[in-house]
Amino acid sequence: MEKVLGLRCRECDNKYPKAPLHVCEFCFGPLEVDYNYEEIKKRISRRSIENGPENLWRYADLLPIDGEPTDGHNTGFTPLIRAKNLGDVLGLNELYIKDDSVSHPTLSFKDRVVAVALSKAKEFDFDTVSCASTGNLANAVAAHAAIAKLNCFIFIPADLEIGKVVASLVYAPTVVGITGTYDDVNRLCSEIGGVYPWAFVNINIRPFYAEGSKTLCFELIEQLGWKAPAHIVAPAAGGSLITKIGKALKEFHRLGLIDKPNTKIHVAQAEGCGPIVNTYKENGDFVKPVRPNTIAKSLAIGNPADGIYAVDTVRNSGGVGEHATDPEIVDAIKLLAATEGIFTETAGGVTLAAAKKLIANGHIQPDEPTVLAITGNGLKTIEALENKTDSTHIIPPQLNAFRKLITEIGEGPVEDSA
Ligand SMILES: *Cc1c(COP(=O)(O)O)cnc(C)c1O
Ligand SMILES: [Zn+2]
């Protein structure tokens, strides 16, 4: 028996074969990978996972690849950091950072989804891969496509951070900047996908791509000694990561790998683009699209594909949605750097800023084990900190000049006269 049965509509439960499909032809609902858990249960155990490779493929039994994975052999298994200093500041006794800011090779959690998507695209015999991206996905698709020797077309909003643009261009894909929002880019890509036979990782390959997100949650559970934490705070763009954190917890429990989890999943978005959090706060039944206006460009999806599923995941877990303003995002980026030595991008700032509110409002209690998903690297969004840090002190190469400086700023040790 095979571990993957096929695809299944999340709304009407209609079944589809394993194919590059993503929308139900009866109800237009999104398709999801349908696993044969009875079969997987025969193969998987804590030990089988622990004996697996130190990358995301240690969870291959729960990923939708039929053969050997062909991509992402160095992706995943990022550090889970016990954040003592930050915990002291926030008043939490057991705080952890799941640090995907150092994901291999492109420094964001998108390496995970792309590892699965490109392995699957090869199984489907595509020779060209593509994506609509807010930046990190573009970087990951471009890099992984270079490794996999696939043709690559990248579509991004034309006004992305220079770090994210260059970090795609360097792999020499064809990069197309669209004069519009991510939602415009995504719409155009759906049209292009109707004309060109390409694997759009987050469109026609999306059901497979999205499964890669689960590995962030699988890992943190394993790294906590096979325990699910009381809280996970994660950011949302299209809402896939949040939704798949919920799925990962359920799967590990269903397969007997962990006790019944009681994890609250909290979603963080920028105030300037928070359609998922808005829906949570307004207790709505559907996600109203917004026009993004935030420095958190990696999360700036105004019409999130998995929005309502993310809201449901948060609600069903007893979690909460919180916004972060642009100044709060910057403060949080600086706080994480100053306490834990981790330089995250704006999305990480959103997550920490939201977590601070959850703690202040009593949703997270001091003794409850809490994991923050830090999903991207600050070197890609330098603009966010321009003129928001102290500046460099420029002096000529002379000891006296340094003496003068240190007197002026009134800091530093007293000179050793011995
Ligand atoms: C894409 C992205 C997310 C969220 O992804 P979704 O699954 O689309 O919600 C979070 N953080 C970073 C840094 C990202 O690039
Ligand atoms: Zn359907």
Side-chain angles (χ1 to χ4, degrees):
M1 276 295 273
E2 292 195 46
K3 66 182 180 187
V4 179
L5 298 169
L7 298 173
R8 187 175 56 84
C9 174
R10 252 189 285 193
E11 291 298 327
C12 75
D13 216 36
N14 242 293
K15 305 285 195 291
Y16 293 83
K18 267 179 260 179
L21 300 169
H22 69 297
V23 186
C24 176
E25 59 189 49
F26 296 98
C27 76
F28 301 106
L31 303 184
E32 175 168 39
V33 176
D34 194 11
Y35 292 96
N36 181 348
Y37 291 108
E38 292 314 305
E39 178 60 29
I40 294 170
K41 200 162 187 170
K42 290 183 208 154
R43 311 180 184 185
I44 207 169
S45 65
R46 288 183 183 180
R47 174 157 315 177
S48 76
I49 292 170
E50 285 163 356
N51 289 338
E54 288 190 358
N55 61 48
L56 85 175
W57 296 112
R58 67 203 275 112
Y59 310 104
D61 286 334
L62 288 163
L63 294 171
I65 303 297
D66 294 329
E68 285 298 308
T70 51
D71 186 36
H73 296 297
N74 295 296
T75 297
F77 227 66
T78 57
L80 182 76
I81 289 161
R82 177 75 195 258
K84 175 91 177 55
N85 295 346
L86 180 60
D88 286 347
V89 172
L90 300 180
L92 292 192
N93 299 323
E94 210 182 320
L95 176 63
Y96 301 88
I97 305 288
K98 181 57 177 163
D99 190 8
D100 268 19
S101 78
V102 292
S103 168
H104 182 86
T106 65
L107 307 179
S108 92
F109 114 97
K110 291 296 197 300
D111 288 318
R112 299 176 183 278
V113 284
V114 171
V116 177
L118 290 213
S119 289
K120 199 65 205 174
K122 280 205 154 180
E123 287 189 354
F124 285 141
D125 261 340
F126 283 104
D127 58 14
T128 301
V129 292
S130 186
C131 66
S133 172
T134 57
N136 283 318
L137 182 60
N139 299 166
V141 170
H144 291 247
I147 300 166
K149 299 186 178 174
L150 292 163
N151 303 321
C152 182
F153 284 81
I154 297 294
F155 297 89
I156 50 174
D159 68 348
L160 279 194
E161 301 97 338
I162 183 78
K164 287 202 174 134
V165 177
V166 173
S168 291
L169 288 169
V170 71
Y171 305 107
T174 302
V175 177
V176 185
I178 308 296
T179 52
T181 65
Y182 169 84
D183 301 283
D184 297 321
V185 178
N186 192 47
R187 210 172 313 114
L188 174 64
C189 282
S190 291
E191 284 180 51
I192 294 172
V195 182
Y196 296 88
W198 299 343
F200 279 86
V201 303
N202 56 338
I203 304 177
N204 55 343
I205 307 290
R206 188 173 181 88
F208 304 94
Y209 150 101
E211 291 292 300
S213 303
K214 295 188 302 192
T215 62
L216 178 141
C217 186
F218 290 154
E219 282 174 20
L220 71 88
I221 292 171
E222 185 183 350
Q223 287 167 318
L224 287 171
W226 298 103
K227 282 201 191 75
H231 303 276
I232 297 174
V233 188
S240 172
L241 172 60
I242 286 280
T243 309
K244 296 300 173 178
I245 287 173
K247 188 172 183 185
L249 286 161
K250 282 209 185 98
E251 287 183 339
F252 262 18
H253 175 240
R254 177 168 188 167
L255 295 165
L257 297 168
I258 54 169
D259 295 338
K260 190 167 171 47
N262 201 4
T263 305
K264 294 188 167 112
I265 303 167
H266 306 283
V267 59
Q269 290 199 295
E271 197 164 273
C273 184
I276 293 172
V277 171
N278 294 346
T279 308
Y280 171 84
K281 285 187 183 269
E282 292 160 10
N283 221 354
D285 306 326
F286 65 95
V287 174
K288 260 185 278 167
V290 302
R291 201 173 170 85
N293 178 19
T294 169
I295 57 169
K297 295 188 183 190
S298 56
L299 304 181
I301 297 184
N303 189 11
D306 292 299
I308 196 62
Y309 303 104
V311 175
D312 286 346
T313 300
V314 169
R315 279 184 187 143
N316 293 337
S317 77
V320 168
E322 266 304 346
H323 286 134
T325 65
D326 284 357
E328 288 168 347
I329 294 168
V330 171
D331 284 349
I333 291 173
K334 290 162 73 174
L335 176 62
L336 185 61
T339 52
E340 297 300 332
I342 295 169
F343 185 15
T344 186
E345 69 148 87
T346 45
V350 169
T351 302
L352 177 52
K356 283 168 76 174
K357 293 182 186 174
L358 295 171
I359 296 161
N361 296 335
H363 294 295
I364 299 177
Q365 293 291 320
D367 284 325
E368 294 174 333
T370 298
V371 178
L372 308 185
I374 296 299
T375 49
N377 193 293
L379 291 172
K380 294 193 194 185
T381 61
I382 292 285
E383 291 93 333
L385 292 184
E386 246 176 346
N387 305 319
K388 302 274 165 48
T389 60
D390 290 346
S391 7
T392 309
H393 303 284
I394 311 274
I395 59 170
Q398 290 150 11
L399 180 58
N400 271 342
F402 180 67
R403 281 202 172 109
K404 184 158 168 275
L405 171 70
I406 213 160
T407 319
E408 273 168 19
I409 60 183
E411 253 184 51
V414 179
E415 266 184 57
D416 183 358
S417 51

